[in-house]
Amino acid sequence: MTHTLLHQILDYANRADPYPIYEELRRTPVHHEADGPYVISTYYEIRSLLHDPRISSDARNQASAGADPLAESAPEGSALPPSFLRLDPPEHDRMRRMTNRHFGPPHSPHRVDAMRPELHDIVAGLIDGLGDPGRIDLVEEFAYPFPVTVICRLLGVPREDEARFHTWADTLAASLDPDPDADPAERGKGAHEARMQLGMYLAGLIEERRKNPGDDMLSQLATAKGQDGPMTTMELLSTAALLLIAGHETTVNLISNGMLTLLRNPDVLQRLRAEPRLAVPIVEELLRFEPPVQLLPGRTTLADVDVRGVTIPKGSTLWLVLASGNRDPQRFENPDRFDPDRPDIQHLGLGSGIHSCFGAPLARLEAQLALSELARRLENPRLLDDPPQYRQNAVLRGPRHLRIACDGIRP
Amino acid sequence: MPWTSRPRRCPVLGDGALEQLKREGRIVVVGASLAGLRAAETLRAKGFVGSLTMIGDEPYEPYDRPPLSKGVLLGRARAHRTALPRLRSVDATWRLGVPATGLDMAARRVRLADGDDVPYDRLLIATGVRARPWPRPEEAELDGVFVLRTRDEGAALARRLDEGPKRVLVIGGGFAGSEVASACRERGLPVTVAERGAAPLVGALGGVVAAVAAGLHREHGVDLRCGVMVTALEGDASGRVRAAHLSDGSTVETDVVVVSLGALRNTEWLNGSGLGAGPRGIACDAGCRAFDIRGIVTDDIYAAGDVARCPHPLFGYQFLSLEHWGNAVAQAGIAAHNMLSESIDRLPHMDVPAFWSSQFGVNVKSVGVPSMATDILISQGSLDSRRFVGVYGYQGRVIGAVSFDHGRWLPFYKELIERTAPFPPQFPTVDRHTDGQQPMDADFPDPSVPSHGPTVTLSGYSPADRRMTFTPAH
């Protein structure tokens, strides 16, 4: 393996602490190696490009741009049409609008907040079910099952099917987490199989909900007749898959990174225990400090674009390194300090512009509830491994296991 | 922001007057609304511990206005529940419900309507604007005739709409008038909009975009009448409005009239004070320091918000007065900072103007000064779909942009304005349609023809709008 900065970002050896590499990257805000992507690492430049209509998110444009070391781990190599994450307007706007109609304001302003009691119950149940307090894997036992259960409830997956759903979700998520020791062909096959089964399951569920709609999101998406007309079954499937995948792996990492950071900052953990409402600024600072999505690799220039005096040619692939922008000292004072009291924290952790995180309100609420309840109920928690074992994935970065011990679990 | 990267020089502390001002000075803020409150908060944040007096003509603590023409009219928010959140304690003496009536610049005192006067070492004027009333007082006083600017006015109009009037007439199709019409339609009330120009919003955004706005009105069932003026309002025997007569000879039977003819700047109380204040506002330098009528900048009087007029380098150093929420916040911060700073540390207010509106389910946003433009290019989306970005051009450069349901792209266009990018922009964009390949005439009305008041006023005139005798020295 060569030691270019690009390879260092991808190198698993740097997964536990990629921030020194980002610091080095920022010395060249527009970093380009051979025929690789143009890597943007400074706050203002990233933010600018996120609003730049000359930058396309359409997977088809990127495919023609080629030459991307991350291309192999593309999350959506299936027969489904691209989700709105990988579309440009006007298609993007239509799909996102139709989906948002049943998720957020103005049409569904209370949807997420109304889930609060249910989320609280799920969190409480998972903490109740934690095994030996001396040996907890917080990822396996808590951070992982929580978001999948939530997305099941949101989409309207019947309780009795949740276990099957979890299995498919795990397999798919694992396929986003390339393990260098596993046989890629074998893993690819497993993921393909899981995707097929999940797709067929969802298709069946959509059919069922068309006939007997409930008040879940899938029913509403399946029966909607707004100004944009109904979604086709294929569009619905790719939207459901997007909600599942994007709304899942990221939240796991937000919660695991969050608990890891809190255990490394016991004073903040202590404050959170006393004052649960601190969870709000803590989660915002986490999104800056340890964002679950480290970089956006999927953007392509539709024209020559000048950034900091460098002309990025038309048709180039961009990597926008959000996690680096979040630690840019030009933007944040003491950026490497975890400080939930920051008065000004317009981070890039959820992106910006038209592709800014669709699930943000839910992700925030999930993380706030999870962290404040863990802080309240775990007695004297401590890390057993620091740093913990990380996932392979450099883009969706987070611990694979987070082994902790505590003296007991409060009721 | 170029000025923030300027190398800091050692502050000139002089005789320590600034430190003394911060410690024991007296600062008076006239105008207890958004700009006044944010300025007060900034003063405290910057270490001012002296006495602070907030003077407001309304009896309320500072409140937010945007909900008054939206949520309040829809019954989703209550007018008396729109108090602005406090970002920090301001520890001020509040003189609410007492208008300022005069200014003695030499004695450094503000006179109040109750006969009191308040001394100051630094004065911030943030008296804003008020709704332009219906010009004939006897008609304006008819029951059912409203203007909409204050909390009380918002509450009164909302109450009347709750009663289910037979028809609402909105006079003036600017942003406020359009928002009122939109709220009425959302409540299912019949509404007529009478606009003197060719279409709603035409003064602010030009005819091309105004045609889209007109389509929105009509599609949502507004009885839109353009190119007409309301010539008279007619009341019944009990003094309640019953009809409006239009310049085309037609009559609209109505029991609620909302007069939405723009705003008047609250500067009358400064008449005769010697400050460069007039109907266009208070002339200031880019650091919000007010000019006197001789064109000399004062060092102790500042202005911020709707009432201020500041020269802007990006727009030909024209004086801009802006009725924009964000402008009030930004100018308040700049004025407060400069009040407490040595000259070398003062900051200019150079924000690119920006505002938003919400009407008929569409989010409208604008940056720059569209009304200064001659041309427009639809760079993203399409007029037909009513989702688009329009870029405004003036003398070969980008001067403004507007979006309908495309607001997340606007920061990009703001950057184009800030770096005086060429117009028309030559690059391809996502969502570029075939009808957006060529610029066209933006179709702004002749500014000498009165229309509803635009929210941006450009005026490159002398600081004081009053006549002066010019006597050249020999």
Side-chain angles (χ1 to χ4, degrees), chain A residues 36-49:
Chain A
Y38 284 76
V39 183
I40 317 293
S41 54
T42 45
Y43 181 91
Y44 291 106
E45 283 64 34
I46 294 170
R47 196 185 58 174
S48 223
L49 290 169

Side-chain angles (χ1 to χ4, degrees), chain A residues 48 50-56 88-90 93 96-97 227-228 302-303 352-354 356, chain B residues 1 380 387 405-413 415-416 419 427-433:
Chain A
S48 223
L50 287 170
H51 294 275
D52 194 322
R54 299 167 297 177
I55 310 300
S56 168
D88 288 336
D93 292 2
R96 180 164 168 141
R97 190 164 61 231
Q227 52 172 337
D228 295 301
L302 297 178
S352 191
I354 64 163
S356 69
Chain B
M1 288 182 283
Q380 294 181 254
R387 301 176 202 282
D405 278 346
H406 252 45
R408 286 177 191 266
W409 298 109
L410 276 203
F412 171 77
Y413 294 93
E415 282 179 33
L416 293 186
R419 60 169 196 262
F427 45 77
T429 58
V430 297
D431 207 12
R432 177 71 71 93
H433 289 235

Side-chain angles (χ1 to χ4, degrees), chain B residues 92-111:
Chain B
T93 304
W94 293 85
R95 304 290 299 263
L96 297 176
V98 190
T101 52
L103 170 65
D104 185 335
M105 288 172 64
R108 291 187 166 174
R109 299 182 91 86
V110 174
R111 279 193 300 280

Side-chain angles (χ1 to χ4, degrees), chain B residues 23-287:
Chain B
R23 219 170 37 244
E24 56 203 55
R26 299 161 302 182
I27 296 184
V28 172
V29 177
V30 185
S33 190
L34 177 62
L37 176 64
R38 292 292 177 253
E41 288 166 345
T42 308
L43 288 168
R44 291 304 190 202
K46 302 245 173 211
F48 174 69
V49 293
S51 91
L52 181 59
T53 306
M54 306 286 297
I55 296 165
D57 60 346
E58 290 181 71
Y60 310 115
E61 64 173 295
Y63 58 85
D64 212 17
R65 293 181 201 277
L68 296 178
S69 56
K70 305 176 184 76
V72 169
L73 295 190
L74 290 168
R76 292 196 194 122
R78 304 284 290 275
H80 64 277
R81 295 288 296 276
T82 65
L84 281 163
R86 301 286 176 89
L87 306 181
R88 58 174 298 130
S89 162
V90 294
D91 187 24
T93 304
W94 293 85
R95 304 290 299 263
L96 297 176
V98 190
T101 52
L103 170 65
D104 185 335
M105 288 172 64
R108 291 187 166 174
R109 299 182 91 86
V110 174
R111 279 193 300 280
L112 302 186
D114 63 6
D116 209 353
D117 63 5
V118 188
Y120 64 84
D121 299 304
R122 294 279 186 280
L123 172 66
L124 176 68
I125 302 174
T127 42
V129 299
R130 64 185 183 278
R132 183 188 296 277
W134 184 242
R136 294 188 209 169
E138 68 281 8
E139 293 176 12
E141 277 159 27
L142 289 170
D143 182 26
V145 177
F146 295 87
V147 292
L148 179 55
R149 177 75 197 172
T150 67
R151 193 178 118 167
D152 287 348
E153 288 158 0
L157 178 57
R159 268 198 307 275
R160 190 58 65 90
L161 296 185
D162 283 343
E163 290 167 13
K166 289 198 296 287
R167 174 167 294 274
V168 177
L169 169 66
V170 179
I171 308 178
F175 282 103
S178 296
E179 288 177 7
V180 172
S182 168
C184 290
R185 287 308 301 144
E186 201 166 321
R187 296 174 68 129
L189 299 171
V191 59
T192 298
V193 171
E195 161 60 40
R196 173 138 60 170
L201 310 184
V202 69
L205 299 175
V208 172
V209 175
V212 179
L216 271 173
H217 279 247
R218 295 207 163 100
E219 186 177 280
H220 285 83
V222 174
D223 167 32
L224 176 66
R225 321 259 188 113
C226 295
V228 295
M229 286 184 293
V230 174
T231 52
L233 300 177
E234 184 189 326
D236 62 17
S238 67
R240 184 154 186 168
V241 68
R242 60 164 294 272
H245 300 281
L246 274 52
S247 57
D248 61 1
S250 64
T251 299
V252 176
E253 297 208 3
T254 175
D255 41 359
V256 172
V257 174
V258 183
V259 178
S260 204
L261 294 172
L264 299 174
R265 298 195 151 72
N266 293 318
T267 55
E268 292 84 352
W269 67 284
L270 295 163
N271 284 349
S273 66
L275 201 67
R280 292 167 186 275
I282 299 167
C284 312
D285 72 1

Side-chain angles (χ1 to χ4, degrees), chain A residues 283-300:
Chain A
V283 167
E284 285 317 294
E285 174 69 345
L286 278 172
L287 285 164
R288 183 193 74 81
F289 188 74
E290 291 276 29
V293 180
Q294 295 269 299
L295 62 100
L296 300 175
R299 313 272 167 127
T300 317

